[in-house]
Every structure is written in structure tokens, then in C-alpha cells.
Amino acid sequence: MNQQIKEFIERNKQAELAGGQDKIDKQKKAGKLTARERINVLLDKGTFVELDKFVIHQSHNLGMDKNFIDGDGIVSGYGKIDGRFVYVYAYDFTVFGGSLSRTNANKIVKVQRLALKMGAPIIAINDSGGARIQEGVGSLAGYGDIFYQNTISSGVIPQISVIMGPCAGGACYSPALTDFIFMVKEKSHMFVTGPDVVKSVTNEEVDKEELGGAYTHSSKSGVSHFLGETEEDTLMMVRELLSFLPSNNMEDVPFCATSDSPLREDENLNTLIPEDPSKPYDMKELIDSIVDDRIFFEVMANFAQNIIIGFARMDGKSVGIVANQPAVQAGVLDIDASDKAARFIRFCDCFNIPVITLEDVPGFLPGCTQEHNGIIRHGAKIVYAYVEATVPKVTLITRKAYGGAYIVMSSKHTGADVNFAYPSAEIAVMGASGAVNILYRNKTDEEKAQVLKEYEKKFSNPYRAAELGYLDEIILPSQTRAKMIQALDMTQTKIRSNPAKKHGNLPL
Ligand code: HXC
């Protein structure tokens, strides 16, 4: 074999060994895959094309002038998922703890720019000790460049972050700027300051799992959107998420053929809503029943469970679903539910994904905690997101649609294209007993019972709204799937854009 080819093969082998066998063994001992293994699990077999494999750092401080490793701790390039191009970069913890240098930041920015130019999703796999300490401000500048690209690409291509190890300090802000964050049980940690700093500043004793583990961020902070059991599971979830998304904001949603009939009826839905309006039911049963093949890909399943968000397909085409969950806190809207729903609606709107809203909401959650933490400005995000969204919007009121919550949950008045209600819908300023207690507080129980009946007859139904044209149709629950698909079909050609502006001022 030609000497130059031999040298090339040897150098390639060295580059793929990255930090060396010892470090790879340590990574394995920690139950983690290497950066290249992760990319290979994520992408269609044999499609990965690596870029910048021989890039090395330019640092000469603290002994770094004697320590160069090809690739410098980032594996980056492109490949395919389900036959569609994606761009990817993975921090390699075996090389200087996956720390970010000026040079490997340049590698990241290169694939970020390529992804934006070619109009394809980008996936970042994080496993890093943060800024490379030996480099100082050069590394910090690298983070700034990555954040800049994250922000510029927002709404143009889907950006996904997968946290598979430590992600600390300012490094958390790149994932936070992307559309979706995946974490792995017991393997990923995200925090702005670690347990030691927390202890010294606030005197709180907390371990890294409690402070910033996958469960914490999936259920308490709402930072993470998906929680995987293992690295492999998590990477498969990334593939599934992408199956619902177009590659960029100019593409239509992908089509996935189904044998599930668009006319399929489900008699069970006729008895899903309890006659007693104070009784809960599981909105997920309705979702599962109406979507193609009962496949619902839920987003943020463990956070603010009083609202449900996620992707599904209707007659082969992706939709986003936003649904109140009467089985959790009666489906009330609070700060976390508002944030969760608003960001999801805005994502769907960026990427041409129609939004279905399933509504059963008694109102906004009362109380000092909510008021003092800003339910007004957080709740305003839902209105803003629905009004601003120009994608097709179809709403179904299954039961309660009270007060401000009726208006904000994609009502006709805030721009929905098609509004349905079940015969069990109650569209009113508030529930019957609350209304009677305010209007007739000085009356006897008997008198109150009398007006309660009158109120229920007049207001606890969908007919007044239908008479005013605020509902387009009252439908039989069993026919929900067919009605939804008809409406989505009709709205496919919707043309609407908002007035030209630099950007709006979303309440934050
Ligand atoms: C250079 C680093 C490094 C870093 C780890 N290493 N972090 N090298 N810069 N930031 C090196 C270690 O020296 C070690 O090298 C190897 O990576 C593996 O690290 P270990 O400590 O042995 O691994 P582990 O016990 O698993 O602990 C991982 C860790 C810990 C929790 C990430 O290494 C750690 O706390 N690192 C520092 C984290 C940090 O404070 N980063 C700065 C955050 S501030 P050898 O050769 O011994 O194997 C920041 C600002 C960003 O990032 C601002 C953006 C705007």
C-alpha cells in the first residue's frame, strides 16, 4: 500500500480513537456511549459524513501546546434520518472532557450554518465540562457564536438538543435556545451553577440529580421536553419527533400513509364525557381515539399535566394537539400550562403544522401564588400565540369553556378557522353554581336551586354560542375524527399573513 494512504488510514484511526482507549473505557464504565456511537445510533445506517475530523485546537497555555487531539472533542457532520438530511454535532467527553474550545466552536458553527443554508434540522448531542478552562475568553466567544446561530436559525430549521452528560453554566443556553431538549434518566445534568456553588451561595444541600437531573427538568422546571430511559431510547425518540416535522419553515409537513380510515367512527366517545360536569375524564382517550393509528407523540408529558401537547397525524399529515386535561386539576390553566402551550403553538406555527385544540377548561387558576408569579403575563402568551399563528386552527369544546379561558383557548374570536362543540359543551362566563352564588348570594338555598336550574338551561350548553355563530357546528362525539379531518382538509389552502413588522412583542 502506498505510504501516504497508510499514513492517512493510521491518522484516521487515531482521530476516531479520540481521547484514547482509556478514556473510552471510562466513558463505557459510566454507562455512556461515545460521541461517534451516539451519532451512528441516531442516523440511518452508513449515512454519516464527518467534517473537520483533523481540526486541532490553537491553544498554547497550561501545557496545551503538547496536547493535540484530532477533531478537538467535537464530532460533526451530516447524515440522514428516515432518508432526509439532518446535521449533527456531538461533544466527545473523552477529549478534554468535551470542553468547548475556540476551534471546536468553529466546527459547530460550520454545521449550524450548513444546516441553515441547506434547510435541514440540526441535532446537538451534549456531554461536556463546559468552557475549556485553558482557553479562557476564546472559549466563551465560541459559545456566543453558537448562541447567535441558534437564535438566527430559530423558526427556520428545527433545532434539537440531546443532553447525555453534564451541561453546566452558560453552556445550558444553547440547548435552551433550541426547540426541543431531550434528557436521559440518571445520565444527564443541566444547571447554571452546580451543587457546590449552590451550597456556598444559598446554603442549600442538593445533589446534581435533584438539582438538574432529567426528572427535575422534565417534571419541575419544564426545561426538558422528553425523558429517555436509556441513550438508545432517547435517540430513537429524536428520530420519531423528526418524523412529524418538515425539514424547514418553507416545507409542508411530511406525509405518512395510513390505513386508518378518515371516516372511522368511535361509539365510545359518545359516553366519554361524564354527565356530571364535576367528574373528570381522561382527555388522552379522546386524542388516542381520533388520531391516525392511535399514535400520539406527547411533548412534556411530565410537566404541567393539566394541559397536554404533542404531535400526531390526521389522515397522514402531522398536526399539533393542545388539549386541556380534566383529569389533572380539572384542566385549569396556570402559569406552567400557559408557557407550555404557548411555546408549542408557536413551534407549530413556525413549521406549518396545523393546531387542533381540545377544550375543557374551568378557567385560570385563582390565588396569590399564581397572581404574584404573573399569571396575567404568562396567560397572555396563549392568546398571543394563538392569534399570531397563521396555520390552520381547529377547536373542539368538549365540555367546559368558561370565562377568559374560553376566549384564549383558540376561540373564533382569537382567530380559529373552525370551531366545533359537543352537545355536552358549556360555554359561559363561569360554572352554574359559581354564577348563582355571586348573583343570588342573599337568597335561600331553595331559591338558589331554582335559578341554578335556569342558569344551567340557559348557559350550560353550546346552543347560545351556536346561535351567535361563534361555533360552526355541534357534532356527535363518535364522529370527531371525520369532522376534524374534513376541517383540516378544508383549511389546507388557508392563506393568511400578519401585517409586516420586525417582530411582535410577545409577553414574557
Ligand atoms: C478543560 C476539562 C473541563 C473543562 C473537564 N475537563 N472539564 N478540561 N476544561 N471545562 C477534563 C478534566 O480535567 C479531565 O481531564 C476530563 O475532562 C474528565 O473530567 P473528570 O473531572 O475526570 O470527569 P468527571 O469526574 O466525570 O466530572 C465531569 C465534570 C467535571 C462534572 C464535568 O469535570 C467538572 O466539574 N468540570 C468543570 C466544569 C466547569 O466548571 N466548567 C466550566 C463551566 S462555566 P483528564 O485529563 O484528567 O482526564 C462555562 C461557561 C460557559 O462553561 C459560558 C457560556 C456563555
Side-chain angles (χ1 to χ4, degrees), residues 23 26 32 93 95-100 128-134 139-140 143-144 147 166 168-171 173 208:
K23 297 270 164 59
K26 207 174 155 198
K32 301 200 291 186
F93 195 78
V95 180
F96 310 120
S99 56
L100 189 89
S128 165
R132 187 167 300 166
I133 295 162
Q134 297 90 331
S139 162
L140 301 184
Y143 276 116
F147 300 168
Y173 288 106
K208 62 179 182 177

PDB file of all heavy atoms in Angstrom, residues 23 26 32 93 95-100 128-134 139-140 143-144 147 166 168-171 173 208, ligand 1:
ATOM      1  N   LYS A  23      -9.800   6.539  28.003  1.00  0.00           N
ATOM      2  CA  LYS A  23     -10.935   7.473  28.202  1.00  0.00           C
ATOM      3  C   LYS A  23     -12.240   6.851  27.672  1.00  0.00           C
ATOM      4  O   LYS A  23     -13.316   7.058  28.242  1.00  0.00           O
ATOM      5  CB  LYS A  23     -10.656   8.805  27.483  1.00  0.00           C
ATOM      6  CG  LYS A  23      -9.454   9.547  28.017  1.00  0.00           C
ATOM      7  CD  LYS A  23      -9.880  10.478  29.145  1.00  0.00           C
ATOM      8  CE  LYS A  23      -8.726  10.964  29.992  1.00  0.00           C
ATOM      9  NZ  LYS A  23      -7.678  11.693  29.329  1.00  0.00           N
ATOM     10  N   LYS A  26     -13.455   4.543  30.252  1.00  0.00           N
ATOM     11  CA  LYS A  26     -14.067   5.300  31.356  1.00  0.00           C
ATOM     12  C   LYS A  26     -15.500   5.720  30.998  1.00  0.00           C
ATOM     13  O   LYS A  26     -16.422   5.637  31.816  1.00  0.00           O
ATOM     14  CB  LYS A  26     -13.201   6.545  31.641  1.00  0.00           C
ATOM     15  CG  LYS A  26     -13.299   7.018  33.070  1.00  0.00           C
ATOM     16  CD  LYS A  26     -12.325   8.160  33.349  1.00  0.00           C
ATOM     17  CE  LYS A  26     -12.849   8.980  34.517  1.00  0.00           C
ATOM     18  NZ  LYS A  26     -12.256  10.299  34.614  1.00  0.00           N
ATOM     19  N   LYS A  32     -22.080   5.132  29.344  1.00  0.00           N
ATOM     20  CA  LYS A  32     -22.380   6.071  28.257  1.00  0.00           C
ATOM     21  C   LYS A  32     -21.775   5.599  26.933  1.00  0.00           C
ATOM     22  O   LYS A  32     -20.719   4.965  26.911  1.00  0.00           O
ATOM     23  CB  LYS A  32     -21.825   7.455  28.594  1.00  0.00           C
ATOM     24  CG  LYS A  32     -22.400   8.036  29.889  1.00  0.00           C
ATOM     25  CD  LYS A  32     -22.248   9.548  29.976  1.00  0.00           C
ATOM     26  CE  LYS A  32     -20.830  10.004  30.145  1.00  0.00           C
ATOM     27  NZ  LYS A  32     -20.730  11.460  30.373  1.00  0.00           N
ATOM     28  N   PHE A  93     -16.745  13.481  25.184  1.00  0.00           N
ATOM     29  CA  PHE A  93     -16.265  13.667  26.560  1.00  0.00           C
ATOM     30  C   PHE A  93     -14.869  13.084  26.766  1.00  0.00           C
ATOM     31  O   PHE A  93     -14.172  13.440  27.713  1.00  0.00           O
ATOM     32  CB  PHE A  93     -17.273  13.051  27.550  1.00  0.00           C
ATOM     33  CG  PHE A  93     -17.050  13.501  28.960  1.00  0.00           C
ATOM     34  CD1 PHE A  93     -17.467  14.751  29.383  1.00  0.00           C
ATOM     35  CD2 PHE A  93     -16.383  12.691  29.876  1.00  0.00           C
ATOM     36  CE1 PHE A  93     -17.244  15.197  30.682  1.00  0.00           C
ATOM     37  CE2 PHE A  93     -16.152  13.118  31.183  1.00  0.00           C
ATOM     38  CZ  PHE A  93     -16.581  14.375  31.582  1.00  0.00           C
ATOM     39  N   VAL A  95     -12.348  13.690  25.051  1.00  0.00           N
ATOM     40  CA  VAL A  95     -11.334  14.681  24.676  1.00  0.00           C
ATOM     41  C   VAL A  95     -11.499  15.921  25.554  1.00  0.00           C
ATOM     42  O   VAL A  95     -12.485  16.656  25.415  1.00  0.00           O
ATOM     43  CB  VAL A  95     -11.480  15.068  23.179  1.00  0.00           C
ATOM     44  CG1 VAL A  95     -10.426  16.095  22.788  1.00  0.00           C
ATOM     45  CG2 VAL A  95     -11.401  13.833  22.294  1.00  0.00           C
ATOM     46  N   PHE A  96     -10.588  16.134  26.477  1.00  0.00           N
ATOM     47  CA  PHE A  96     -10.645  17.283  27.396  1.00  0.00           C
ATOM     48  C   PHE A  96     -12.054  17.456  27.978  1.00  0.00           C
ATOM     49  O   PHE A  96     -12.594  18.572  28.051  1.00  0.00           O
ATOM     50  CB  PHE A  96     -10.215  18.583  26.690  1.00  0.00           C
ATOM     51  CG  PHE A  96      -8.902  18.472  25.948  1.00  0.00           C
ATOM     52  CD1 PHE A  96      -8.828  18.701  24.572  1.00  0.00           C
ATOM     53  CD2 PHE A  96      -7.734  18.124  26.612  1.00  0.00           C
ATOM     54  CE1 PHE A  96      -7.636  18.600  23.883  1.00  0.00           C
ATOM     55  CE2 PHE A  96      -6.521  18.024  25.927  1.00  0.00           C
ATOM     56  CZ  PHE A  96      -6.479  18.254  24.559  1.00  0.00           C
ATOM     57  N   GLY A  97     -12.667  16.357  28.362  1.00  0.00           N
ATOM     58  CA  GLY A  97     -13.996  16.392  28.982  1.00  0.00           C
ATOM     59  C   GLY A  97     -15.061  17.033  28.096  1.00  0.00           C
ATOM     60  O   GLY A  97     -16.029  17.609  28.598  1.00  0.00           O
ATOM     61  N   GLY A  98     -14.864  16.920  26.784  1.00  0.00           N
ATOM     62  CA  GLY A  98     -15.874  17.500  25.865  1.00  0.00           C
ATOM     63  C   GLY A  98     -15.958  19.008  25.965  1.00  0.00           C
ATOM     64  O   GLY A  98     -16.939  19.619  25.536  1.00  0.00           O
ATOM     65  N   SER A  99     -14.886  19.619  26.525  1.00  0.00           N
ATOM     66  CA  SER A  99     -14.963  21.074  26.746  1.00  0.00           C
ATOM     67  C   SER A  99     -14.916  21.838  25.423  1.00  0.00           C
ATOM     68  O   SER A  99     -14.377  21.359  24.431  1.00  0.00           O
ATOM     69  CB  SER A  99     -13.839  21.518  27.682  1.00  0.00           C
ATOM     70  OG  SER A  99     -12.592  21.117  27.148  1.00  0.00           O
ATOM     71  N   LEU A 100     -15.496  23.045  25.468  1.00  0.00           N
ATOM     72  CA  LEU A 100     -15.612  23.835  24.238  1.00  0.00           C
ATOM     73  C   LEU A 100     -14.401  24.746  24.077  1.00  0.00           C
ATOM     74  O   LEU A 100     -14.100  25.546  24.958  1.00  0.00           O
ATOM     75  CB  LEU A 100     -16.884  24.696  24.282  1.00  0.00           C
ATOM     76  CG  LEU A 100     -17.175  25.366  22.938  1.00  0.00           C
ATOM     77  CD1 LEU A 100     -18.029  24.461  22.059  1.00  0.00           C
ATOM     78  CD2 LEU A 100     -17.851  26.710  23.111  1.00  0.00           C
ATOM     79  N   SER A 128     -20.475  17.520  28.093  1.00  0.00           N
ATOM     80  CA  SER A 128     -19.356  18.451  28.111  1.00  0.00           C
ATOM     81  C   SER A 128     -19.126  19.078  29.477  1.00  0.00           C
ATOM     82  O   SER A 128     -20.077  19.381  30.196  1.00  0.00           O
ATOM     83  CB  SER A 128     -19.642  19.549  27.074  1.00  0.00           C
ATOM     84  OG  SER A 128     -18.804  20.658  27.266  1.00  0.00           O
ATOM     85  N   GLY A 129     -17.843  19.304  29.789  1.00  0.00           N
ATOM     86  CA  GLY A 129     -17.481  20.010  31.021  1.00  0.00           C
ATOM     87  C   GLY A 129     -17.576  21.517  30.884  1.00  0.00           C
ATOM     88  O   GLY A 129     -17.169  22.246  31.773  1.00  0.00           O
ATOM     89  N   GLY A 130     -18.079  22.005  29.746  1.00  0.00           N
ATOM     90  CA  GLY A 130     -18.296  23.449  29.567  1.00  0.00           C
ATOM     91  C   GLY A 130     -17.115  24.123  28.896  1.00  0.00           C
ATOM     92  O   GLY A 130     -16.364  23.497  28.143  1.00  0.00           O
ATOM     93  N   ALA A 131     -16.955  25.402  29.182  1.00  0.00           N
ATOM     94  CA  ALA A 131     -15.891  26.190  28.546  1.00  0.00           C
ATOM     95  C   ALA A 131     -14.526  25.565  28.852  1.00  0.00           C
ATOM     96  O   ALA A 131     -14.265  25.191  29.993  1.00  0.00           O
ATOM     97  CB  ALA A 131     -15.945  27.602  29.093  1.00  0.00           C
ATOM     98  N   ARG A 132     -13.661  25.455  27.825  1.00  0.00           N
ATOM     99  CA  ARG A 132     -12.329  24.866  28.076  1.00  0.00           C
ATOM    100  C   ARG A 132     -11.516  25.845  28.912  1.00  0.00           C
ATOM    101  O   ARG A 132     -11.190  26.954  28.464  1.00  0.00           O
ATOM    102  CB  ARG A 132     -11.610  24.513  26.764  1.00  0.00           C
ATOM    103  CG  ARG A 132     -10.316  23.752  27.060  1.00  0.00           C
ATOM    104  CD  ARG A 132      -9.722  23.110  25.842  1.00  0.00           C
ATOM    105  NE  ARG A 132     -10.636  22.142  25.227  1.00  0.00           N
ATOM    106  CZ  ARG A 132     -10.464  21.642  24.019  1.00  0.00           C
ATOM    107  NH1 ARG A 132      -9.419  22.010  23.287  1.00  0.00           N
ATOM    108  NH2 ARG A 132     -11.325  20.773  23.523  1.00  0.00           N
ATOM    109  N   ILE A 133     -11.218  25.392  30.114  1.00  0.00           N
ATOM    110  CA  ILE A 133     -10.630  26.287  31.110  1.00  0.00           C
ATOM    111  C   ILE A 133      -9.310  26.873  30.609  1.00  0.00           C
ATOM    112  O   ILE A 133      -9.023  28.051  30.802  1.00  0.00           O
ATOM    113  CB  ILE A 133     -10.471  25.528  32.445  1.00  0.00           C
ATOM    114  CG1 ILE A 133     -11.874  25.178  32.987  1.00  0.00           C
ATOM    115  CG2 ILE A 133      -9.678  26.337  33.455  1.00  0.00           C
ATOM    116  CD1 ILE A 133     -11.905  24.081  34.033  1.00  0.00           C
ATOM    117  N   GLN A 134      -8.529  26.074  29.886  1.00  0.00           N
ATOM    118  CA  GLN A 134      -7.221  26.523  29.408  1.00  0.00           C
ATOM    119  C   GLN A 134      -7.329  27.657  28.378  1.00  0.00           C
ATOM    120  O   GLN A 134      -6.343  28.297  28.053  1.00  0.00           O
ATOM    121  CB  GLN A 134      -6.456  25.357  28.766  1.00  0.00           C
ATOM    122  CG  GLN A 134      -6.130  24.211  29.691  1.00  0.00           C
ATOM    123  CD  GLN A 134      -7.217  23.151  29.734  1.00  0.00           C
ATOM    124  OE1 GLN A 134      -8.388  23.461  29.525  1.00  0.00           O
ATOM    125  NE2 GLN A 134      -6.844  21.915  30.020  1.00  0.00           N
ATOM    126  N   SER A 139     -12.915  30.558  24.426  1.00  0.00           N
ATOM    127  CA  SER A 139     -13.984  29.568  24.522  1.00  0.00           C
ATOM    128  C   SER A 139     -15.332  30.245  24.726  1.00  0.00           C
ATOM    129  O   SER A 139     -16.340  29.862  24.116  1.00  0.00           O
ATOM    130  CB  SER A 139     -13.672  28.612  25.670  1.00  0.00           C
ATOM    131  OG  SER A 139     -14.831  27.940  26.053  1.00  0.00           O
ATOM    132  N   LEU A 140     -15.340  31.277  25.573  1.00  0.00           N
ATOM    133  CA  LEU A 140     -16.608  31.987  25.812  1.00  0.00           C
ATOM    134  C   LEU A 140     -17.126  32.595  24.514  1.00  0.00           C
ATOM    135  O   LEU A 140     -18.325  32.561  24.222  1.00  0.00           O
ATOM    136  CB  LEU A 140     -16.424  33.082  26.866  1.00  0.00           C
ATOM    137  CG  LEU A 140     -15.929  32.627  28.244  1.00  0.00           C
ATOM    138  CD1 LEU A 140     -15.890  33.801  29.200  1.00  0.00           C
ATOM    139  CD2 LEU A 140     -16.798  31.515  28.820  1.00  0.00           C
ATOM    140  N   TYR A 143     -19.005  30.099  22.563  1.00  0.00           N
ATOM    141  CA  TYR A 143     -20.404  29.922  22.990  1.00  0.00           C
ATOM    142  C   TYR A 143     -21.288  31.015  22.383  1.00  0.00           C
ATOM    143  O   TYR A 143     -22.392  30.751  21.907  1.00  0.00           O
ATOM    144  CB  TYR A 143     -20.529  29.968  24.516  1.00  0.00           C
ATOM    145  CG  TYR A 143     -20.252  28.638  25.180  1.00  0.00           C
ATOM    146  CD1 TYR A 143     -19.178  28.479  26.037  1.00  0.00           C
ATOM    147  CD2 TYR A 143     -21.078  27.543  24.940  1.00  0.00           C
ATOM    148  CE1 TYR A 143     -18.924  27.260  26.648  1.00  0.00           C
ATOM    149  CE2 TYR A 143     -20.828  26.321  25.550  1.00  0.00           C
ATOM    150  CZ  TYR A 143     -19.755  26.180  26.396  1.00  0.00           C
ATOM    151  OH  TYR A 143     -19.518  24.977  26.989  1.00  0.00           O
ATOM    152  N   GLY A 144     -20.766  32.234  22.431  1.00  0.00           N
ATOM    153  CA  GLY A 144     -21.545  33.356  21.883  1.00  0.00           C
ATOM    154  C   GLY A 144     -21.893  33.111  20.422  1.00  0.00           C
ATOM    155  O   GLY A 144     -23.038  33.339  19.995  1.00  0.00           O
ATOM    156  N   PHE A 147     -24.669  30.518  20.234  1.00  0.00           N
ATOM    157  CA  PHE A 147     -25.979  31.100  20.614  1.00  0.00           C
ATOM    158  C   PHE A 147     -26.526  31.954  19.469  1.00  0.00           C
ATOM    159  O   PHE A 147     -27.723  31.973  19.205  1.00  0.00           O
ATOM    160  CB  PHE A 147     -25.858  31.999  21.855  1.00  0.00           C
ATOM    161  CG  PHE A 147     -25.362  31.322  23.103  1.00  0.00           C
ATOM    162  CD1 PHE A 147     -24.982  32.079  24.205  1.00  0.00           C
ATOM    163  CD2 PHE A 147     -25.274  29.943  23.198  1.00  0.00           C
ATOM    164  CE1 PHE A 147     -24.517  31.481  25.365  1.00  0.00           C
ATOM    165  CE2 PHE A 147     -24.803  29.331  24.365  1.00  0.00           C
ATOM    166  CZ  PHE A 147     -24.422  30.110  25.441  1.00  0.00           C
ATOM    167  N   PRO A 166     -22.897  15.890  31.409  1.00  0.00           N
ATOM    168  CA  PRO A 166     -23.020  17.209  32.047  1.00  0.00           C
ATOM    169  C   PRO A 166     -23.263  18.324  31.032  1.00  0.00           C
ATOM    170  O   PRO A 166     -22.819  18.235  29.884  1.00  0.00           O
ATOM    171  CB  PRO A 166     -21.654  17.391  32.728  1.00  0.00           C
ATOM    172  CG  PRO A 166     -20.729  16.416  32.118  1.00  0.00           C
ATOM    173  CD  PRO A 166     -21.538  15.322  31.489  1.00  0.00           C
ATOM    174  N   ALA A 168     -23.324  22.398  31.905  1.00  0.00           N
ATOM    175  CA  ALA A 168     -23.367  23.313  33.051  1.00  0.00           C
ATOM    176  C   ALA A 168     -23.045  24.733  32.638  1.00  0.00           C
ATOM    177  O   ALA A 168     -22.442  24.976  31.604  1.00  0.00           O
ATOM    178  CB  ALA A 168     -22.368  22.845  34.107  1.00  0.00           C
ATOM    179  N   GLY A 169     -23.449  25.650  33.498  1.00  0.00           N
ATOM    180  CA  GLY A 169     -23.130  27.061  33.293  1.00  0.00           C
ATOM    181  C   GLY A 169     -23.815  27.611  32.063  1.00  0.00           C
ATOM    182  O   GLY A 169     -24.882  27.161  31.647  1.00  0.00           O
ATOM    183  N   GLY A 170     -23.141  28.567  31.452  1.00  0.00           N
ATOM    184  CA  GLY A 170     -23.701  29.222  30.266  1.00  0.00           C
ATOM    185  C   GLY A 170     -23.940  28.242  29.136  1.00  0.00           C
ATOM    186  O   GLY A 170     -24.740  28.522  28.223  1.00  0.00           O
ATOM    187  N   ALA A 171     -23.276  27.071  29.189  1.00  0.00           N
ATOM    188  CA  ALA A 171     -23.451  26.063  28.140  1.00  0.00           C
ATOM    189  C   ALA A 171     -24.910  25.627  28.023  1.00  0.00           C
ATOM    190  O   ALA A 171     -25.345  25.140  26.976  1.00  0.00           O
ATOM    191  CB  ALA A 171     -22.575  24.863  28.420  1.00  0.00           C
ATOM    192  N   TYR A 173     -27.372  27.420  27.755  1.00  0.00           N
ATOM    193  CA  TYR A 173     -28.202  28.337  26.966  1.00  0.00           C
ATOM    194  C   TYR A 173     -28.280  27.993  25.492  1.00  0.00           C
ATOM    195  O   TYR A 173     -29.207  28.434  24.827  1.00  0.00           O
ATOM    196  CB  TYR A 173     -27.788  29.800  27.215  1.00  0.00           C
ATOM    197  CG  TYR A 173     -28.233  30.185  28.615  1.00  0.00           C
ATOM    198  CD1 TYR A 173     -27.324  30.314  29.649  1.00  0.00           C
ATOM    199  CD2 TYR A 173     -29.588  30.292  28.896  1.00  0.00           C
ATOM    200  CE1 TYR A 173     -27.753  30.591  30.936  1.00  0.00           C
ATOM    201  CE2 TYR A 173     -30.024  30.566  30.179  1.00  0.00           C
ATOM    202  CZ  TYR A 173     -29.109  30.713  31.205  1.00  0.00           C
ATOM    203  OH  TYR A 173     -29.549  30.960  32.469  1.00  0.00           O
ATOM    204  N   LYS A 208     -26.642  16.563  42.385  1.00  0.00           N
ATOM    205  CA  LYS A 208     -26.782  17.024  40.999  1.00  0.00           C
ATOM    206  C   LYS A 208     -28.041  16.477  40.325  1.00  0.00           C
ATOM    207  O   LYS A 208     -28.626  17.127  39.462  1.00  0.00           O
ATOM    208  CB  LYS A 208     -25.534  16.719  40.172  1.00  0.00           C
ATOM    209  CG  LYS A 208     -25.187  15.264  40.018  1.00  0.00           C
ATOM    210  CD  LYS A 208     -23.941  15.103  39.163  1.00  0.00           C
ATOM    211  CE  LYS A 208     -23.642  13.618  38.997  1.00  0.00           C
ATOM    212  NZ  LYS A 208     -22.532  13.323  38.147  1.00  0.00           N
TER     213      LYS A 208
HETATM  214  C1  HXC B   1     -10.949  21.570  30.320  1.00  0.00           C
HETATM  215  C2  HXC B   1     -11.958  19.814  31.366  1.00  0.00           C
HETATM  216  C3  HXC B   1     -13.087  20.602  31.656  1.00  0.00           C
HETATM  217  C4  HXC B   1     -13.091  21.947  31.208  1.00  0.00           C
HETATM  218  C5  HXC B   1     -13.443  18.634  32.430  1.00  0.00           C
HETATM  219  N1  HXC B   1     -12.215  18.610  31.877  1.00  0.00           N
HETATM  220  N2  HXC B   1     -13.983  19.847  32.323  1.00  0.00           N
HETATM  221  N3  HXC B   1     -10.909  20.291  30.702  1.00  0.00           N
HETATM  222  N4  HXC B   1     -11.983  22.392  30.546  1.00  0.00           N
HETATM  223  N5  HXC B   1     -14.109  22.749  31.437  1.00  0.00           N
HETATM  224  C6  HXC B   1     -11.307  17.487  31.806  1.00  0.00           C
HETATM  225  C7  HXC B   1     -10.801  17.043  33.153  1.00  0.00           C
HETATM  226  O1  HXC B   1      -9.667  17.769  33.537  1.00  0.00           O
HETATM  227  C8  HXC B   1     -10.465  15.586  32.876  1.00  0.00           C
HETATM  228  O2  HXC B   1      -9.235  15.552  32.200  1.00  0.00           O
HETATM  229  C9  HXC B   1     -11.525  15.177  31.887  1.00  0.00           C
HETATM  230  O3  HXC B   1     -12.024  16.373  31.320  1.00  0.00           O
HETATM  231  C10 HXC B   1     -12.664  14.431  32.521  1.00  0.00           C
HETATM  232  O4  HXC B   1     -13.098  15.166  33.635  1.00  0.00           O
HETATM  233  P1  HXC B   1     -13.347  14.466  35.066  1.00  0.00           P
HETATM  234  O5  HXC B   1     -13.443  15.577  36.045  1.00  0.00           O
HETATM  235  O6  HXC B   1     -12.330  13.409  35.286  1.00  0.00           O
HETATM  236  O7  HXC B   1     -14.752  13.767  34.809  1.00  0.00           O
HETATM  237  P2  HXC B   1     -15.969  13.611  35.804  1.00  0.00           P
HETATM  238  O8  HXC B   1     -15.491  13.144  37.153  1.00  0.00           O
HETATM  239  O9  HXC B   1     -16.957  12.767  35.073  1.00  0.00           O
HETATM  240  O10 HXC B   1     -16.549  15.075  36.015  1.00  0.00           O
HETATM  241  C11 HXC B   1     -17.101  15.761  34.914  1.00  0.00           C
HETATM  242  C12 HXC B   1     -17.398  17.225  35.266  1.00  0.00           C
HETATM  243  C13 HXC B   1     -16.108  17.863  35.898  1.00  0.00           C
HETATM  244  C14 HXC B   1     -18.554  17.273  36.279  1.00  0.00           C
HETATM  245  C15 HXC B   1     -17.836  17.945  34.008  1.00  0.00           C
HETATM  246  O11 HXC B   1     -15.010  17.592  35.037  1.00  0.00           O
HETATM  247  C16 HXC B   1     -16.225  19.332  36.063  1.00  0.00           C
HETATM  248  O12 HXC B   1     -16.819  19.820  37.041  1.00  0.00           O
HETATM  249  N6  HXC B   1     -15.596  20.094  35.148  1.00  0.00           N
HETATM  250  C17 HXC B   1     -15.593  21.534  35.217  1.00  0.00           C
HETATM  251  C18 HXC B   1     -16.938  22.065  34.858  1.00  0.00           C
HETATM  252  C19 HXC B   1     -16.930  23.564  34.806  1.00  0.00           C
HETATM  253  O13 HXC B   1     -16.916  24.236  35.852  1.00  0.00           O
HETATM  254  N7  HXC B   1     -16.858  24.080  33.571  1.00  0.00           N
HETATM  255  C20 HXC B   1     -16.877  25.491  33.355  1.00  0.00           C
HETATM  256  C21 HXC B   1     -18.346  25.913  33.415  1.00  0.00           C
HETATM  257  S1  HXC B   1     -18.529  27.599  33.119  1.00  0.00           S
HETATM  258  P3  HXC B   1      -8.175  14.345  32.431  1.00  0.00           P
HETATM  259  O14 HXC B   1      -7.049  14.675  31.528  1.00  0.00           O
HETATM  260  O15 HXC B   1      -7.827  14.357  33.878  1.00  0.00           O
HETATM  261  O16 HXC B   1      -8.923  13.111  32.040  1.00  0.00           O
HETATM  262  C22 HXC B   1     -18.799  27.633  31.498  1.00  0.00           C
HETATM  263  C23 HXC B   1     -19.008  29.000  30.979  1.00  0.00           C
HETATM  264  C24 HXC B   1     -19.743  28.957  29.691  1.00  0.00           C
HETATM  265  O17 HXC B   1     -18.823  26.664  30.842  1.00  0.00           O
HETATM  266  C25 HXC B   1     -20.234  30.337  29.407  1.00  0.00           C
HETATM  267  C26 HXC B   1     -21.005  30.379  28.124  1.00  0.00           C
HETATM  268  C27 HXC B   1     -21.594  31.709  27.912  1.00  0.00           C
END
